[in-house]
Amino acid sequence: MARLFRPSLLVLLEPAQWTRIREAVERLVPGELGEVLVISENGLGTPGSADERVATGASQTGTSFSTPRSGVILLTDRAVPPENLRRLLYLGDRDRQRPVPVHTVGLGHQLPGDVVLPPDTPAEAVAEVLRLLAKLARLQLTFRRRRELLRRLRRAVFRDSLTGLLNRRAWPRVVRSAWQRAKRTRQQIVFALFDLDNFKLVNDTLGHRRGDELLRSIGLAARQACRRRDYLFRWGGDEIALVCIIGPNVPVEPIVERVRQRLATKIPELGDRVITASAGVSVVAPGSSGTFCQPLAKIAEEMIQHADEALCRAKSLGGNSVCRFP
């Protein structure tokens, strides 16, 4: 695991220059750097070039270079064409998709790089610069991993693990964001609550595993029927909720009906029986008389209650339909 936090060093120097600073640089290898790859003078990544690998203070020949996720430090006394650098560092498709940071130390005047040193910089000073860049690379890797961990934690907290839809914990954040956007654009918020008809039949007849498979497919179908800016929740059990923002003159029923129809699923194990869905809808326009001087929490609670009442009415009419409150 510690190896992952040590950047590799790629050396492209005149032989005399590398000989001058090599001893000081190699002292960094056990603790600060991963592998060190020295490229011969006659070309970067050129077939037939004599490459030298330095690992934990010992030199050995080799031509492969495992690019670490923590990054690469390039120590060079010449300008390196980007295509040559990419060809050397990113050997596979996975590497090209996830390129690592490259920190360039130039030993020469007017060279592009993160750090540019005079060509006669003492070996100990070059080594100190490399040490600091290695520490910087480790810190950057730590921050990247922290951001990735936070992203995964947010997904775990606010996403349903079965369907991948949002869960009820995300509701306060979503309704607050949707309310502000609708108020700013003078649009209206739609809250639709969907419930599968006869879902209990699948669980009782085919088992809960088959029921979970059905819910996963329902979640995918719901996402495909909605816009990217819409919000979808697994509201509980076999209930799915939709929050979207539409213009004041846009009819809401066709939008909800399109989603409801996509949720219909044929079950081959039940003789191709189709599990349908019912939906209840409530619509709120920020700034309307019904929302004036009311706290958002109260408005959100009423949205849910009204959609649930409309859903109960759709169920009482036989299901497989959409009802809007009032």
Side-chain angles (χ1 to χ4, degrees):
M1 180 62 67
R3 180 180 176 86
L4 296 177
F5 285 86
R6 294 188 297 166
S8 294
L9 176 64
L10 182 63
V11 179
L12 180 61
L13 295 173
E14 293 287 342
Q17 186 75 285
W18 172 237
T19 301
R20 183 179 69 85
I21 66 175
R22 173 172 181 164
E23 183 178 351
V25 171
E26 283 189 347
R27 285 197 290 266
L28 294 173
V29 172
E32 302 289 345
L33 297 173
E35 59 181 340
V36 178
L37 185 67
V38 183
I39 306 299
S40 64
E41 183 184 358
N42 65 341
L44 177 62
T46 302
S49 63
D51 300 335
E52 179 186 17
R53 181 191 303 275
V54 181
T56 60
S59 302
Q60 59 183 23
T61 57
T63 57
S64 62
F65 187 69
S66 56
T67 307
R69 295 267 71 86
S70 51
V72 171
I73 300 174
L74 171 64
L75 178 61
T76 181
D77 56 7
R78 69 206 70 181
V80 182
E83 60 273 12
N84 287 352
L85 189 59
R86 284 195 299 268
R87 186 167 63 248
L88 180 66
L89 294 180
Y90 309 133
L91 302 178
D93 292 336
R94 183 177 180 182
D95 287 333
R96 294 188 183 93
Q97 293 171 3
R98 299 182 59 190
V100 300
V102 178
H103 305 276
T104 304
V105 179
L107 279 180
H109 298 293
Q110 303 194 7
L111 283 178
D114 300 286
V115 180
V116 178
L117 303 173
D120 58 349
T121 301
E124 290 74 15
V126 175
E128 180 65 15
V129 169
L130 295 178
R131 186 186 70 81
L132 292 175
L133 280 178
K135 182 176 293 187
L136 174 63
R138 288 195 296 271
L139 287 173
Q140 289 178 336
L141 176 64
T142 300
F143 290 144
R144 290 199 303 272
R145 290 184 170 180
R146 181 177 179 273
R147 286 195 299 268
E148 176 64 19
L149 179 60
L150 289 175
R151 187 189 66 81
R152 293 182 180 180
L153 286 174
R154 282 195 294 267
R155 180 176 178 84
V157 170
F158 296 116
R159 293 278 175 179
D160 174 61
S161 59
L162 180 63
T163 63
L165 305 181
L166 295 169
N167 58 30
R168 292 286 287 270
R169 295 190 192 96
W171 168 249
R173 299 177 57 172
V174 167
V175 74
R176 185 165 54 249
S177 174
W179 183 265
Q180 292 172 352
R181 182 152 59 100
K183 187 175 182 179
R184 184 176 64 253
T185 58
R186 298 184 179 181
Q187 295 182 300
Q188 52 188 359
I189 299 178
V190 176
F191 180 78
L193 195 57
F194 301 86
D195 184 81
L196 299 182
D197 301 321
N198 299 321
F199 177 74
K200 188 173 182 299
L201 177 65
V202 176
N203 276 339
D204 292 346
T205 306
L206 304 178
H208 289 277
R209 177 174 296 183
R210 184 64 180 91
D212 288 347
E213 292 176 359
L214 176 60
L215 289 176
R216 275 193 290 267
S217 66
I218 290 297
L220 177 60
R223 287 196 296 270
Q224 292 174 344
C226 294
R227 302 168 300 180
R228 292 179 60 89
R229 60 181 180 272
D230 297 337
Y231 302 97
L232 281 166
F233 297 79
R234 184 184 179 191
W235 203 247
D238 59 329
E239 288 186 331
I240 290 177
L242 165 68
V243 175
C244 62
I245 298 174
I246 61 175
N249 299 319
V250 177
V252 65
E253 286 81 0
I255 298 174
V256 178
E257 180 63 24
R258 182 182 70 247
V259 178
R260 192 195 65 79
Q261 290 179 1
R262 290 292 296 270
L263 298 184
T265 305
K266 184 183 294 186
I267 309 297
E269 302 94 319
L270 296 178
D272 287 343
R273 179 167 182 166
V274 177
I275 300 298
T276 58
S278 302
V281 187
S282 63
V283 180
V284 176
S288 63
S289 58
T291 63
F292 188 70
C293 291
Q294 284 199 58
L296 181 56
K298 178 65 174 177
I299 297 171
E301 183 181 345
E302 290 180 351
M303 286 172 57
I304 298 172
Q305 180 181 347
H306 294 165
D308 189 58
E309 292 177 10
L311 175 61
C312 291
R313 189 163 71 249
K315 287 284 192 179
S316 67
L317 296 176
N320 196 25
S321 60
V322 175
C323 286
R324 175 175 175 174
F325 182 90

